[in-house]
Amino acid sequence: MLSQPAGQFQSNKSAIDPLTATAQLRQHHLSAGSVTTEDLVDIYLAQIQRHNKKGLGLNAIIQTAPHDLLSQYAKTLDAERADGKTRGPLHGIPIILKDNIMTDWRLGMDTTCGASPCGYQSPQCACGGPTFESRLDHHCEGQPEWVAAKGFGLRTGWSAAGGQTQTPYVEGGFVVGDKSLGHSAPCGSSAGSAVGVAAGFAPLTLGTETNGSVTQPAGRASLYGLKVTVGAVDTSRTSPTSPFTDSLGGMAKSAEDLAMLTGMLLEQDFSSSMTKSWHGLRIAAVDPKVWNLGPGVCEYVETVKQKQDSDIAAAVKTIRDAGGVVVEDVVLPQVNELVWEGKDALSLVWGKDLKSSIGGFLAGYEEAEVRTVEELVKFNKDHADQALPQGYSGQQQLENTLSNDMTEDTKSKIMSFIRTTAKENGFDRIFEETNTDLLLGPLDGRIVTIAAAAGYPCGVVPLGYADDYNGRAYGAVFVSRAGMESKILQAMSAWDANMPARKPPPLLVGFKSEL
């Protein structure tokens, strides 16, 4: 949380709008000398102070690096730039990190995973995220506790450490009693990350995804988001669920920004993919009418669904008119086909892996009262007033993993079934039959879950807004084969250049508050 006196982070660069400026624009300002990294730090800290706990009370940020450290790092980066040295395309650009990614201890921030701060604090590693720690300034953000792998029925975006994250697109924020992917929900365990970028707390964010944790919040925040291929990036210093589906991904306000961030993550240069053109892209599209969020996770609202379907149809027409090829109404397996002996197959794998995954992650802490899931469950019970408050008292997923007796042989069979259904009989079949490179569909379905089951990269683009309902944002999703993030980014660059521009949160535009 910010503890500095109000007004300390006022900047003389007030003409720069944190709600709309991209990292690419910021880099142009830095290169031109019209702004410094120190200026950017103050601009974003001021915006956090306006709307994290005050203003709209978005509650997206759990903590920031101490201002003196940020200032010190910013001066170093500015001096390097003045000497003609830059470390990469994001040199000096602030970023938000999801609070389950271990940060270098020298940044002075705990990694809480959204949990009660009493049990585990300082990461042991001296380079938790090596490509980022040396290049960018940091904020840490709010996320559902243990990436939503703690208990059943917990509110989306809530954690013991950070409270309830709110979406800046819905007036009044989260409606108590709404479902996990309901129309007022920020959605997913990277909700704070997404809200932070949409609200102008930083231009970029890095999160983790097991099943929609980056992509769902990106859509609700009207952002570009990309979860990379499962296994393409080391996730050992992030709070895990299962190596079968765990991955990392970024979010940004533009396709170009996301390409730079993904390039750093994968150590690739995607600049040649950013053609801004649909020519050469062949896309398979599902029928949006049969892809919906189920009643268990989101109330069906006819007007919202009709507008989403209309927006998808308009996007398909734009793609064709601009030279792209779209093969419509392809049939992709649905989530209800991923069932093993009457149970959710993915949940079976996640439940088996959770114990060892969390145990290995906890071993990375230098200071911790808990080192195992058994100790974590007991700690939560012993500190129930903070860890299990009324209305958030469930930790069934943690408890269930302790009694999970599934054999490794059974888990292997289930994983093979999942991959065959989603990958070979799903995406691969479609790509081969239609001679396409990408699959397109509405985010308000479970396509991202099928992508997780296949281990494939998955990207989200801004699609529209429920203007006749509550104003919430929604997105469209692209999926490609493993290692083909370049195709998704190419489609994103064309989307950014040819589709209606994303809108910053209307509730924040022109907002008047006292610092």
Side-chain angles (χ1 to χ4, degrees):
M1 306 301 176
L2 294 176
S3 58
Q4 287 78 5
Q8 181 168 328
F9 301 124
Q10 293 276 12
S11 170
N12 60 356
K13 305 296 181 181
S14 58
I16 299 177
D17 185 357
L19 290 177
T20 58
T22 63
Q24 186 180 43
L25 179 62
R26 294 291 197 228
Q27 197 60 257
H28 174 75
H29 291 154
L30 288 167
S31 298
S34 60
V35 71
T36 66
T37 300
E38 276 200 279
D39 290 327
L40 295 186
V41 167
D42 288 348
I43 289 169
Y44 288 116
L45 287 176
Q47 184 71 352
I48 291 171
Q49 197 169 48
R50 286 188 188 97
H51 289 294
N52 192 51
K53 293 300 180 182
K54 301 176 181 179
L56 283 189
L58 297 174
N59 222 23
I61 303 295
I62 288 179
Q63 58 186 323
T64 65
H67 185 256
D68 58 341
L69 282 179
L70 287 174
S71 180
Q72 176 185 333
Y73 289 138
K75 289 177 180 177
T76 298
L77 293 169
D78 286 335
E80 290 176 1
R81 185 183 298 275
D83 289 339
K85 302 174 184 177
T86 56
R87 306 185 189 190
L90 296 177
H91 183 100
I93 303 295
I95 188 171
I96 294 171
L97 291 185
K98 186 175 181 178
D99 196 18
N100 71 333
I101 299 173
M102 284 189 172
T103 52
D104 192 301
W105 63 270
R106 288 166 293 189
L107 285 170
M109 296 185 293
D110 296 333
T111 302
T112 73
C113 298
S116 172
C118 304
Y120 25 87
Q121 295 157 352
S122 301
Q124 177 177 317
C125 57
C127 56
T131 59
F132 293 92
E133 300 302 341
S134 61
R135 305 184 188 192
L136 307 174
D137 300 312
H138 295 71
H139 308 138
C140 266
E141 58 81 28
Q143 57 137 43
E145 208 164 324
W146 288 106
V147 290
K150 178 187 179 185
F152 300 125
L154 298 181
R155 295 178 187 172
T156 179
W158 178 88
S159 71
Q164 179 65 55
T165 298
Q166 303 289 352
T167 168
Y169 281 93
V170 177
E171 188 169 2
F174 182 76
V175 176
V176 176
D178 203 356
K179 298 175 181 179
S180 59
L181 299 179
H183 297 287
S184 70
C187 289
S189 63
S190 300
S193 302
V195 169
V197 172
F201 294 171
L204 301 165
T205 185
L206 181 68
T208 63
E209 173 159 326
T210 299
N211 174 26
S213 301
V214 167
T215 47
Q216 289 286 2
R220 294 300 177 96
S222 194
L223 299 176
Y224 291 83
L226 176 57
K227 178 211 76 174
V228 303
T229 303
V230 173
V233 180
D234 181 10
T235 61
S236 61
R237 292 297 185 178
T238 68
S239 168
T241 298
S242 169
F244 184 61
T245 53
D246 286 351
S247 187
L248 290 168
M251 291 178 266
K253 291 190 283 286
S254 74
E256 291 284 349
D257 281 7
L258 186 59
M260 290 190 291
L261 182 58
T262 305
M264 290 187 66
L265 192 62
L266 295 177
E267 298 183 336
Q268 295 182 40
D269 182 359
F270 291 108
S271 57
S272 63
S273 299
M274 310 309 285
T275 63
K276 300 183 180 181
S277 171
W278 292 108
H279 286 281
L281 284 175
R282 296 182 58 86
I283 300 165
V286 300
D287 180 358
K289 292 182 174 59
V290 300
W291 285 88
N292 304 293
L293 292 174
V297 296
C298 184
E299 177 188 359
Y300 182 82
V301 177
E302 182 66 25
T303 55
V304 176
K305 177 59 177 171
Q306 287 179 349
K307 190 169 187 299
Q308 290 179 345
D309 290 352
S310 175
D311 288 344
I312 281 280
V316 168
K317 183 179 186 302
T318 297
I319 293 170
R320 283 180 171 148
D321 290 347
V325 174
V326 182
V327 180
E328 291 187 87
D329 298 340
V330 299
V331 179
L332 179 71
Q334 297 261 3
V335 173
N336 59 12
E337 297 177 53
L338 297 176
V339 175
W340 182 269
E341 296 182 351
K343 297 181 179 179
D344 183 306
L346 282 167
S347 293
L348 291 173
V349 174
W350 296 332
K352 175 62 178 177
D353 285 345
L354 186 60
K355 179 180 178 180
S356 59
S357 295
I358 289 182
F361 177 75
L362 288 172
Y365 284 85
E366 185 176 67
E367 301 174 19
E369 295 180 33
V370 296
R371 297 290 184 184
T372 66
V373 175
E374 289 89 346
E375 292 175 353
L376 176 58
V377 168
K378 184 178 185 301
F379 176 90
N380 288 340
K381 290 179 179 177
D382 292 344
H383 300 82
D385 57 332
Q386 296 181 61
L388 302 170
Q390 185 175 0
Y392 306 92
S393 58
Q395 57 173 341
Q396 300 94 331
Q397 292 181 72
L398 295 177
E399 292 169 341
N400 289 346
T401 194
L402 297 178
S403 59
N404 191 304
D405 59 0
M406 180 190 295
T407 65
E408 288 297 321
D409 181 62
T410 298
K411 187 183 79 167
S412 178
K413 291 177 180 177
I414 298 173
M415 291 192 299
S416 177
F417 161 74
I418 292 171
R419 283 284 195 260
T420 299
T421 303
K423 181 176 176 289
E424 284 86 354
N425 297 339
F427 294 108
D428 289 357
R429 173 187 54 78
I430 291 171
F431 293 148
E432 290 167 7
E433 290 177 354
T434 59
N435 188 29
T436 52
D437 305 305
L438 295 164
L439 181 136
L440 168 66
L443 179 60
D444 271 23
R446 297 291 298 278
I447 293 174
V448 296
T449 300
I450 306 301
Y456 278 179
C458 184
V460 169
V461 293
L463 178 61
Y465 308 86
D467 299 320
D468 54 354
Y469 186 62
N470 67 353
R472 65 101 161 174
Y474 49 82
V477 59
F478 285 102
V479 181
S480 69
R481 294 180 188 265
M484 297 301 292
E485 286 83 1
S486 60
K487 287 293 184 182
I488 296 177
L489 288 167
Q490 183 180 350
M492 285 181 168
S493 73
W495 189 284
D496 205 356
N498 295 279
M499 300 298 179
R502 70 172 294 273
K503 301 175 184 177
L507 298 176
L508 287 172
V509 175
F511 187 96
K512 303 297 182 181
S513 65
E514 296 182 3
L515 276 176

